[in-house]
Amino acid sequence: MNKVVFLVSGGGGSLKFVYYALQTLKMNVQVIGVIADRDCAALEFASKKNIYSKKIKYNLNHTVELQQELKKLAPDVVVTNIHKIIDIETLSQFPDRFINLHYSLLPAFGGVIGMETIVQAKMQNVGFIGGTCHMVNEEVDAGKILYQSCFSVNWEKDESVIDTVFKSSCLALLGGIFSVSGIVTNQNEQLVINEKNVLFSPPLPFSAGFISDEFWQQIAN
């Protein structure tokens, strides 16, 4: 079994997506731990689902607890949704296992946090937007790109840009998890999300037929 650990600080939307998607797809991948640097909704979700969860102190000057937890859990993939930069020593102890989800088409808007990327994209009137799942290295948002989602945007008419970016980015993150885990299954090159044709590069390594309004609703709850 390929083991996934999430490092979290916030609401846990992408954590919920990955958890429910893996349950539905019944692949040999499982979320086995959630580690937070503060009390947050993501930590509460893990507790409700009986996933191992732990709140720790973590910053660039206090790295021991995180390293201890990761050594104990021995994950194959670590998703860095935590609102902190991961220190080089921790990255080196678990090489090629840390991945991150960024709400832009990197390298555009690298270093910008959360959905602020969309605010900046709108200010610059970009024509295409999406999400990027990438490896984590010592330089912020500069690791090897694993998956990207992309769709066209009309800022005057489109009312669901944030939602479409989030949903397509979750799929890119799941593709990244599968990529690091060495799993390849059925492939879908394009999906329709909020009436937008969304492209993925490379093609998604799983069938996304399980995606429905009901599926997204359980993540919103």
Side-chain angles (χ1 to χ4, degrees), residues 116 150 196 200:
E116 177 64 21
C150 178
K196 283 289 184 180
F200 293 87

Side-chain angles (χ1 to χ4, degrees), residues 43-70:
L43 201 63
E44 294 174 6
F45 174 79
S47 179
K48 289 178 182 178
K49 296 300 181 181
N50 295 316
I51 304 169
Y52 175 84
S53 57
K54 183 75 174 290
K55 183 176 78 170
I56 65 170
K57 178 180 179 181
Y58 179 77
N59 56 51
L60 295 180
N61 297 314
H62 195 286
T63 63
V64 175
E65 283 186 85
L66 176 58
Q67 293 171 9
Q68 290 176 339
E69 289 295 322
L70 293 178

Side-chain angles (χ1 to χ4, degrees), residues 115 118 129 151-154 157-169 171 191-198 200 211-213 216-217:
M115 291 295 181
I118 298 176
I129 197 168
F151 60 95
S152 63
V153 58
N154 183 324
K157 296 181 179 180
D158 295 342
E159 299 179 352
S160 304
V161 177
I162 291 177
D163 188 59
T164 309
V165 169
F166 169 73
K167 290 177 178 178
S168 67
S169 296
L171 286 158
L191 291 174
V192 177
I193 301 175
N194 293 329
E195 301 182 347
K196 283 289 184 180
N197 291 320
V198 182
F200 293 87
I211 300 297
S212 64
D213 290 341
W216 291 118
Q217 188 59 47

Side-chain angles (χ1 to χ4, degrees), residues 52 72 96 127 138 155 165 171 187 189 191-193 218:
Y52 175 84
K72 177 170 61 179
D96 301 322
E138 64 275 9
W155 297 106
V165 169
L171 286 158
Q187 296 183 343
E189 294 189 23
L191 291 174
V192 177
I193 301 175
Q218 68 181 340

Side-chain angles (χ1 to χ4, degrees), residues 52-123:
Y52 175 84
S53 57
K54 183 75 174 290
K55 183 176 78 170
I56 65 170
K57 178 180 179 181
Y58 179 77
N59 56 51
L60 295 180
N61 297 314
H62 195 286
T63 63
V64 175
E65 283 186 85
L66 176 58
Q67 293 171 9
Q68 290 176 339
E69 289 295 322
L70 293 178
K71 287 177 181 177
K72 177 170 61 179
L73 295 170
D76 300 288
V77 185
V78 182
V79 181
T80 61
N81 283 359
I82 196 169
H83 297 167
K84 299 282 177 63
I85 296 173
I86 306 300
D87 66 284
I88 296 175
E89 180 182 356
T90 301
L91 293 175
S92 65
Q93 289 188 17
F94 305 91
D96 301 322
R97 278 181 267 184
F98 283 81
I99 66 175
N100 180 249
L101 178 61
H102 190 73
Y103 296 117
S104 81
L105 293 172
L106 288 175
F109 309 113
V112 180
I113 297 174
M115 291 295 181
E116 177 64 21
T117 54
I118 298 176
V119 175
Q120 295 196 16
K122 183 177 181 179
M123 290 175 59

